[in-house]
PDB file of all heavy atoms in Angstrom:
ATOM      1  N   SER A1268     122.008 113.857  91.832  1.00  0.00           N
ATOM      2  CA  SER A1268     122.284 112.604  92.526  1.00  0.00           C
ATOM      3  C   SER A1268     121.193 111.586  92.213  1.00  0.00           C
ATOM      4  O   SER A1268     120.099 111.941  91.776  1.00  0.00           O
ATOM      5  CB  SER A1268     122.349 112.870  94.021  1.00  0.00           C
ATOM      6  OG  SER A1268     122.583 111.675  94.710  1.00  0.00           O
ATOM      7  N   ALA A1269     121.483 110.342  92.495  1.00  0.00           N
ATOM      8  CA  ALA A1269     120.535 109.271  92.182  1.00  0.00           C
ATOM      9  C   ALA A1269     119.287 109.296  93.057  1.00  0.00           C
ATOM     10  O   ALA A1269     118.253 108.801  92.663  1.00  0.00           O
ATOM     11  CB  ALA A1269     121.228 107.928  92.322  1.00  0.00           C
ATOM     12  N   HIS A1270     119.393 109.869  94.250  1.00  0.00           N
ATOM     13  CA  HIS A1270     118.267 109.821  95.181  1.00  0.00           C
ATOM     14  C   HIS A1270     117.738 111.205  95.548  1.00  0.00           C
ATOM     15  O   HIS A1270     117.241 111.408  96.652  1.00  0.00           O
ATOM     16  CB  HIS A1270     118.686 109.082  96.455  1.00  0.00           C
ATOM     17  CG  HIS A1270     119.062 107.652  96.221  1.00  0.00           C
ATOM     18  ND1 HIS A1270     118.174 106.704  95.795  1.00  0.00           N
ATOM     19  CD2 HIS A1270     120.244 107.006  96.341  1.00  0.00           C
ATOM     20  CE1 HIS A1270     118.777 105.545  95.661  1.00  0.00           C
ATOM     21  NE2 HIS A1270     120.033 105.703  95.986  1.00  0.00           N
ATOM     22  N   THR A1271     117.795 112.154  94.632  1.00  0.00           N
ATOM     23  CA  THR A1271     117.319 113.504  94.945  1.00  0.00           C
ATOM     24  C   THR A1271     115.802 113.575  95.073  1.00  0.00           C
ATOM     25  O   THR A1271     115.289 114.534  95.630  1.00  0.00           O
ATOM     26  CB  THR A1271     117.769 114.509  93.875  1.00  0.00           C
ATOM     27  OG1 THR A1271     117.330 114.040  92.601  1.00  0.00           O
ATOM     28  CG2 THR A1271     119.265 114.679  93.884  1.00  0.00           C
ATOM     29  N   HIS A1272     115.095 112.569  94.589  1.00  0.00           N
ATOM     30  CA  HIS A1272     113.637 112.580  94.637  1.00  0.00           C
ATOM     31  C   HIS A1272     113.086 112.152  96.002  1.00  0.00           C
ATOM     32  O   HIS A1272     111.912 112.326  96.273  1.00  0.00           O
ATOM     33  CB  HIS A1272     113.080 111.654  93.553  1.00  0.00           C
ATOM     34  CG  HIS A1272     113.506 110.227  93.728  1.00  0.00           C
ATOM     35  ND1 HIS A1272     114.774 109.801  93.406  1.00  0.00           N
ATOM     36  CD2 HIS A1272     112.858 109.152  94.219  1.00  0.00           C
ATOM     37  CE1 HIS A1272     114.874 108.506  93.669  1.00  0.00           C
ATOM     38  NE2 HIS A1272     113.728 108.092  94.166  1.00  0.00           N
ATOM     39  N   ILE A1273     113.921 111.620  96.878  1.00  0.00           N
ATOM     40  CA  ILE A1273     113.457 111.102  98.162  1.00  0.00           C
ATOM     41  C   ILE A1273     113.331 112.241  99.171  1.00  0.00           C
ATOM     42  O   ILE A1273     114.281 112.962  99.422  1.00  0.00           O
ATOM     43  CB  ILE A1273     114.402 110.012  98.684  1.00  0.00           C
ATOM     44  CG1 ILE A1273     114.362 108.842  97.706  1.00  0.00           C
ATOM     45  CG2 ILE A1273     114.018 109.575 100.083  1.00  0.00           C
ATOM     46  CD1 ILE A1273     115.351 107.773  97.997  1.00  0.00           C
ATOM     47  N   LYS A1274     112.139 112.388  99.726  1.00  0.00           N
ATOM     48  CA  LYS A1274     111.854 113.473 100.673  1.00  0.00           C
ATOM     49  C   LYS A1274     111.480 112.950 102.051  1.00  0.00           C
ATOM     50  O   LYS A1274     111.142 113.722 102.932  1.00  0.00           O
ATOM     51  CB  LYS A1274     110.717 114.352 100.135  1.00  0.00           C
ATOM     52  CG  LYS A1274     110.968 114.910  98.756  1.00  0.00           C
ATOM     53  CD  LYS A1274     112.175 115.822  98.735  1.00  0.00           C
ATOM     54  CE  LYS A1274     112.410 116.334  97.321  1.00  0.00           C
ATOM     55  NZ  LYS A1274     113.775 116.657  97.058  1.00  0.00           N
ATOM     56  N   GLY A1275     111.485 111.660 102.265  1.00  0.00           N
ATOM     57  CA  GLY A1275     111.130 111.070 103.552  1.00  0.00           C
ATOM     58  C   GLY A1275     110.856 109.588 103.376  1.00  0.00           C
ATOM     59  O   GLY A1275     111.207 109.000 102.356  1.00  0.00           O
ATOM     60  N   LEU A1276     110.230 108.979 104.376  1.00  0.00           N
ATOM     61  CA  LEU A1276     109.924 107.550 104.309  1.00  0.00           C
ATOM     62  C   LEU A1276     108.553 107.246 103.733  1.00  0.00           C
ATOM     63  O   LEU A1276     108.247 106.098 103.437  1.00  0.00           O
ATOM     64  CB  LEU A1276     110.029 106.932 105.710  1.00  0.00           C
ATOM     65  CG  LEU A1276     111.452 106.845 106.272  1.00  0.00           C
ATOM     66  CD1 LEU A1276     111.402 106.399 107.729  1.00  0.00           C
ATOM     67  CD2 LEU A1276     112.301 105.911 105.454  1.00  0.00           C
ATOM     68  N   GLY A1277     107.703 108.244 103.580  1.00  0.00           N
ATOM     69  CA  GLY A1277     106.367 108.022 103.012  1.00  0.00           C
ATOM     70  C   GLY A1277     105.444 107.289 103.954  1.00  0.00           C
ATOM     71  O   GLY A1277     104.671 106.435 103.526  1.00  0.00           O
ATOM     72  N   LEU A1278     105.524 107.610 105.249  1.00  0.00           N
ATOM     73  CA  LEU A1278     104.658 106.974 106.240  1.00  0.00           C
ATOM     74  C   LEU A1278     103.472 107.872 106.554  1.00  0.00           C
ATOM     75  O   LEU A1278     103.574 109.092 106.483  1.00  0.00           O
ATOM     76  CB  LEU A1278     105.444 106.711 107.530  1.00  0.00           C
ATOM     77  CG  LEU A1278     106.680 105.836 107.406  1.00  0.00           C
ATOM     78  CD1 LEU A1278     107.406 105.775 108.731  1.00  0.00           C
ATOM     79  CD2 LEU A1278     106.310 104.456 106.932  1.00  0.00           C
ATOM     80  N   ASP A1279     102.349 107.253 106.923  1.00  0.00           N
ATOM     81  CA  ASP A1279     101.189 108.017 107.361  1.00  0.00           C
ATOM     82  C   ASP A1279     101.540 108.644 108.716  1.00  0.00           C
ATOM     83  O   ASP A1279     101.962 107.934 109.631  1.00  0.00           O
ATOM     84  CB  ASP A1279      99.983 107.087 107.498  1.00  0.00           C
ATOM     85  CG  ASP A1279      98.723 107.844 107.818  1.00  0.00           C
ATOM     86  OD1 ASP A1279      98.504 108.093 109.024  1.00  0.00           O
ATOM     87  OD2 ASP A1279      97.973 108.195 106.892  1.00  0.00           O
ATOM     88  N   PRO A1280     101.382 109.961 108.872  1.00  0.00           N
ATOM     89  CA  PRO A1280     101.798 110.616 110.121  1.00  0.00           C
ATOM     90  C   PRO A1280     101.042 110.151 111.364  1.00  0.00           C
ATOM     91  O   PRO A1280     101.581 110.163 112.462  1.00  0.00           O
ATOM     92  CB  PRO A1280     101.539 112.098 109.871  1.00  0.00           C
ATOM     93  CG  PRO A1280     100.988 112.239 108.520  1.00  0.00           C
ATOM     94  CD  PRO A1280     100.869 110.898 107.895  1.00  0.00           C
TER      95      PRO A1280
END
Side-chain angles (χ1 to χ4, degrees):
S1268 179
H1270 297 295
T1271 55
H1272 61 284
I1273 296 173
K1274 305 298 179 207
L1276 290 172
L1278 302 175
D1279 186 275

